[in-house]
Amino acid sequence: MAESVMRLRVNGREHHLVVSDEATLLEVLREQLHLHGTKDGCAVGSCGTCTVWLDGVPRLSCVTLAKTVEGRDVVTIEGLAGWWGRERPGEGAAAFHPLQTAAVEAGAVQCGFCTPGMLMAGAALLRDTPAPGREEIREALSGHLCRCTGYEQIIHAVELAAGRMGEATPDEA
Amino acid sequence: MKLEAPSSPSAVAVPNRIEGWAKVTGQALYADDVAWPNMAYGYLVRSPHAHARIVSVDLEAARSMPGVLAVLAGPGSTAPYGIMPSNQDEHALATGKVTYFGEPLLAIAAETLRTARAAARAVRVAYEPLAPVLKTGSQQKAAPQVREDAGDGNLHKAVDLEFGDVAAGLREAQFTRTDEFFFQGNNHLALEPHAVTAFWQPDGQLVLESSTQVPHYVQRSLARALGLPEHQIRVMVPTLGGGFGGKSELFPHEVAAALLSRSCGRPVRITLSREDVFYTHRGRHPVEMKVATGFDRQHRLQAMSFESRLDGGAYSSYGIASTYYTGALQPTTYQIGAYRFHGERWFTTKPPCGPKRGHGTTQPRALLEVHMDRVARDLGLDPIELRREILQPPFSVTVNQLDITTSGLAECLDAVERMSGWKERRGRLGKGRGLGFACSSYLSGAGLPIYWNPLPHSGARIAIGRDGGVQVACGITDIGQGANTVLAILAARSLGVALGRVRVTSADTGTTPVDLGSYSSRVTLMAGNALLTAAERMLDLLRQAAARHWQVPAQEIARDGEDFAVLGRDERAAWTEVARWAEADFGPLVTAGGYTPAPPRGRHKGSGVGPSPAYSFSACIAEVEVDELDGRLQVQRLYVAHDPGTPLNPQSVEGQIRGGVVMGLGEVLMEAQAFNPDGRHRGPHLLGYRIPTMLDVPEIEIAVVGQPDPNGPLGAKEVGQGPLNPVIPAVLNAVQDAVGIELHETPVTPDRILRALDAKRRRGNAR
């Protein structure tokens, strides 16, 4: 089985990895880098639990061949708070992205298996659309299955986080 | 304005979930995440036939592949096992023949999962295909035997119950009606596929970390399957990614991982694929049902006859209980003069069915509520009014000998009626739109354990450390419903300490007292009561220590926040200080409590299924629009009321209601565990088996009603399963209200609506 050496930037850190040609990005993250926060719910790109950011764009890591993302930048759920901290210089290190806090507070987390993927998609939405409407949220997260919550509390978490991040904007400007 | 971004975990002020922070940061470890040193990967070879004889198995090519550590053929287990004591009919790996597409027959361990999969392709198995058995009852004409160890024919179990004279009741009724219905089977679809890591240690101890809802039953069944003493097996559950009943018994992959570990001397992980999960199944039974009722002149329900025929799949699983449950809870909502139930479960060559949220009560409730709606229509009555007159009252005994304590059912009816504007809006919504009502009830834990024993159903232990921390140990499994958090809340409230002092250890047969598991909505009530007993005993020790220290009678010890004080005196001491006095007096501080439900009232055969310390009640009104051109059904809004007794964690109560309601919505609109004529699953993946997405969910308005229940901890009853049940018939009834069609099966897909509309038009033309 063919293998190759590749570079990958994950959560701000540069890695040199020996990767099988068949390996998915999800496998590399979970099995080689031990970043188990990214989940495998279906392995064929239908459930959204494996979502990570690839150069800032939410992507399904279970259907992304690792060798096709040579040299690119990946953010996983473990790196979301760190990314948020880097986004706001001077604010200090953050333990949570506001959406992570809001998810806990809004009751958006039950079993938690969909949560990492859901939050990566939600955080990307909040980055690109500071005050998303309810329909925008539903559209943006509709590729993420959740079997526990019935979704409402997840939508509410995004709204809650958007509200708080919005309040912060004048201060930063 | 300053950004309210948290800089430390303590910034999460509302402890909706004590483990919430771990789940939002990716730190929570699930069964497939726990990496054990030197771990090998296991893989199961599954049957490519629904029904076939295994003629020969050649493992040599697979065994000689580099990186392959073990290749095992069946049966693997030394004795058959099964969750019900009277139905021990499963083995880890099939031998002789396979009885469903996807049944495991070989297990392989290798250095990597990729190698294990390659080895699976290298094994040679010759099959002699047999005719698949896909139907039940008399439709099974001349079908081959599925379980050769289970008597003649494929009838697994037939049960009969009768309370009062139903024949007379129906004969003498002023009004009778009969309805039939087919409820399609469906899968739990927890987002986390099952996973296990097993290590048969060199010292003979077998340790498993498994995604199970029932570590105690897994330990028990494994002991039987492997011929080991129970104490040599330890079952732990890491963070669990949803269950809904789908992880409620011992599974082949758990046994196989143990056997592979013994063979290769290393920990072995087996993780099911999504496709595997559809074959592992144990989901909602497909059930064909028939109900007949008779009403008297005052519209009282004189008699009810209910029949159900369950398509069980290839093994028994919980089947006997599932069968009884299809007849158990009809009387908890309505006063019935005489009640008769006949249930049958049939073996077929499909993945075994078992318990799914609402276990066995969901299907009959769908038919019963659809039937009641049609009775009201026939009698020209408001469907809510018809029910209001015959509700089973609080603190009463049902016709089938179930003790009802508190009931918020009447309040549930009032709440959904009010929220939906039922009286003003019904019949005035315009063409193609309608409202439909249904109500239901569920257990707060089964009154009897699955295997007979006189022991507590739940045990809890509290220890107070010298650090002032409260350690709660209980065998419950937090499957995502928030069970650990509820125990933490109860411990904090009952001991009068801050939630932050409480640490909960659960779901580990090696360190926690037995709790039977997270099924039948039993955890809050049973583990909660056990914990309250342990807490009372602990407080008693602390009070005694304080009394001795201050030289006052114990009844003069009072609490002020966490502190202890003496009534009428200026003495006070902090929690931790008093705990240290008590440790000095009594030794390390440990107390325990157990909970056993009162014995059920009924003494008849089958009386073990249905009793519960308390019943929850629910009602739902669905507002729908049907497009008569393309048959599309849009559920526009749902109004749901639920009586959970005291809501201990209101946000979790809301979450359970919403989650259950949406799962019910999936069952009525789209979900089907359906099979092709050759016995293959029609779509064992998330494109073939659709569940509701964020775009499929309408607005859901919720009312939480009810009173504290005397049998619940601080008055709490269940919320995890009940709210699912009324949704399905409410939608069916709303469709009838909208376009005047009677539907006779789930799911309600556009093609079925169009067919029913066609039939209605033809009937109209014929007149």
Side-chain angles (χ1 to χ4, degrees), chain B residues 538-692:
Chain B
M538 182 59 79
L539 271 184
D540 194 46
L541 294 179
L542 298 177
R543 266 199 219 96
Q544 282 182 47
R548 190 190 301 194
H549 181 87
W550 283 315
Q551 302 287 308
V552 298
Q555 55 270 29
E556 288 181 21
I557 300 297
R559 298 295 296 281
D560 180 12
E562 284 195 329
D563 293 354
F564 287 74
V566 182
L567 282 175
R569 271 169 55 180
D570 195 20
E571 300 271 18
R572 64 189 295 133
W575 164 263
T576 304
E577 192 176 5
V578 174
R580 288 176 186 171
W581 296 344
E583 188 181 338
D585 287 352
F586 304 113
L589 292 175
V590 182
T591 58
Y595 175 78
T596 312
R601 175 183 298 266
R603 288 281 173 272
H604 53 278
K605 187 168 167 51
S607 62
V609 174
S612 175
Y615 296 85
S616 75
F617 295 89
S618 317
C620 176
I621 286 176
E623 188 171 331
V624 308
E625 179 163 6
V626 178
D627 187 324
E628 296 200 42
L629 286 178
D630 63 11
R632 245 186 315 181
L633 163 61
Q634 220 185 358
V635 177
Q636 295 171 315
R637 207 175 251 268
L638 292 166
Y639 308 89
V640 180
H642 183 72
D643 161 24
T646 307
L648 293 178
N649 183 349
Q651 205 173 47
S652 281
V653 166
E654 183 188 339
Q656 286 298 300
I657 293 173
R658 290 190 182 280
V661 165
V662 171
M663 191 173 277
L665 192 67
E667 295 193 25
V668 70
L669 293 183
M670 59 187 86
E671 297 184 34
Q673 170 99 345
F675 296 85
N676 289 321
D678 64 357
R680 278 172 199 249
H681 194 293
R682 275 202 202 154
H685 44 75
L686 293 171
L687 296 175
Y689 185 98
R690 294 164 53 234
I691 67 168

Side-chain angles (χ1 to χ4, degrees), chain A residues 30 39 100 105 110-111, chain B residues 23-24 30 33 651 671:
Chain A
R30 286 179 58 85
K39 301 301 180 202
Q100 292 173 307
E105 291 181 12
Q110 289 194 29
C111 89
Chain B
K23 288 175 173 173
V24 297
Y30 296 71
D33 301 338
Q651 205 173 47
E671 297 184 34

Side-chain angles (χ1 to χ4, degrees), chain A residues 1-119:
Chain A
M1 197 183 308
E3 289 177 337
S4 47
V5 177
M6 68 179 282
R7 276 182 314 114
L8 197 63
R9 193 174 176 77
V10 181
N11 298 333
R13 184 174 152 197
E14 199 75 38
H15 293 273
H16 291 265
L17 300 162
V18 178
V19 169
S20 153
D21 285 356
E22 295 175 26
T24 62
L25 177 58
L26 177 64
E27 269 180 87
V28 169
L29 293 172
R30 286 179 58 85
E31 306 302 327
Q32 289 183 244
L33 298 177
H34 302 291
L35 293 169
H36 292 290
T38 306
K39 301 301 180 202
D40 181 358
C42 74
V44 294
S46 300
C47 74
T49 61
C50 67
T51 302
V52 299
W53 289 1
L54 191 60
D55 292 339
V57 181
R59 287 279 293 265
L60 298 167
S61 63
C62 78
V63 288
T64 302
L65 274 182
K67 68 173 189 178
T68 65
V69 297
E70 153 77 29
R72 294 170 71 179
D73 185 75
V74 176
V75 177
T76 70
I77 188 68
E78 290 92 343
L80 184 59
W83 170 82
W84 175 245
R86 289 194 299 278
E87 279 295 287
R88 314 167 309 148
E91 292 279 337
F96 296 113
H97 181 279
L99 181 57
Q100 292 173 307
T101 320
V104 177
E105 291 181 12
V109 181
Q110 289 194 29
C111 89
F113 205 78
C114 73
T115 304
M118 194 76 80
L119 296 187

Side-chain angles (χ1 to χ4, degrees), chain A residues 1 20 22-24 27 30-31 34 36-37 39-42 44 46-47 49 77-78 84 88 91 93-98 100-101 103-116 118-119 134-135 137-139 141-142 144-155 164-165 167-168 170-172, chain B residues 1-9 11-14 16-17 19-21 23-30 32-33 35 41 114 187-193 239-242 244 274 356-357 479-481 651-652 654-656 658-660 662-663 671 685-687 689 691-700:
Chain A
M1 197 183 308
S20 153
E22 295 175 26
T24 62
E27 269 180 87
R30 286 179 58 85
E31 306 302 327
H34 302 291
H36 292 290
K39 301 301 180 202
D40 181 358
C42 74
V44 294
S46 300
C47 74
T49 61
I77 188 68
E78 290 92 343
W84 175 245
R88 314 167 309 148
E91 292 279 337
F96 296 113
H97 181 279
Q100 292 173 307
T101 320
V104 177
E105 291 181 12
V109 181
Q110 289 194 29
C111 89
F113 205 78
C114 73
T115 304
M118 194 76 80
L119 296 187
R134 202 179 154 83
E135 286 316 302
I137 297 170
R138 277 159 47 105
E139 192 65 47
L141 300 185
S142 62
H144 295 259
L145 298 178
C146 168
R147 194 61 154 170
C148 294
T149 63
Y151 300 111
E152 180 61 34
Q153 287 160 313
I154 296 174
I155 297 171
R164 289 177 182 169
M165 292 163 77
E167 283 168 17
D171 203 42
E172 283 180 353
Chain B
M1 209 177 141
K2 189 92 182 113
L3 184 71
E4 277 183 71
S7 55
S8 78
V12 178
V14 185
N16 172 263
R17 291 301 163 89
E19 81 293 359
W21 69 270
K23 288 175 173 173
V24 297
T25 52
Q27 293 293 326
L29 292 174
Y30 296 71
D32 187 48
D33 301 338
Y41 292 82
R114 204 166 270 123
N187 186 260
H188 319 83
L189 217 129
L191 260 280
E192 178 204 28
T239 309
L240 191 73
F244 314 113
R274 178 56 58 193
K356 180 184 169 189
R357 202 176 203 169
I479 65 176
Q481 84 280 48
Q651 205 173 47
S652 281
E654 183 188 339
Q656 286 298 300
R658 290 190 182 280
V662 171
M663 191 173 277
E671 297 184 34
H685 44 75
L686 293 171
L687 296 175
Y689 185 98
I691 67 168
T693 72
M694 216 172 255
L695 294 174
D696 297 309
V697 177
E699 277 209 42
I700 302 168

Side-chain angles (χ1 to χ4, degrees), chain B residues 396-419:
Chain B
S396 64
V397 180
T398 66
V399 65
N400 60 341
Q401 300 293 295
L402 303 178
D403 278 285
I404 306 291
T405 51
T406 54
S407 169
L409 185 53
E411 293 160 83
C412 285
L413 268 57
D414 295 346
V416 293
E417 188 181 55
R418 177 176 35 77
M419 289 191 294

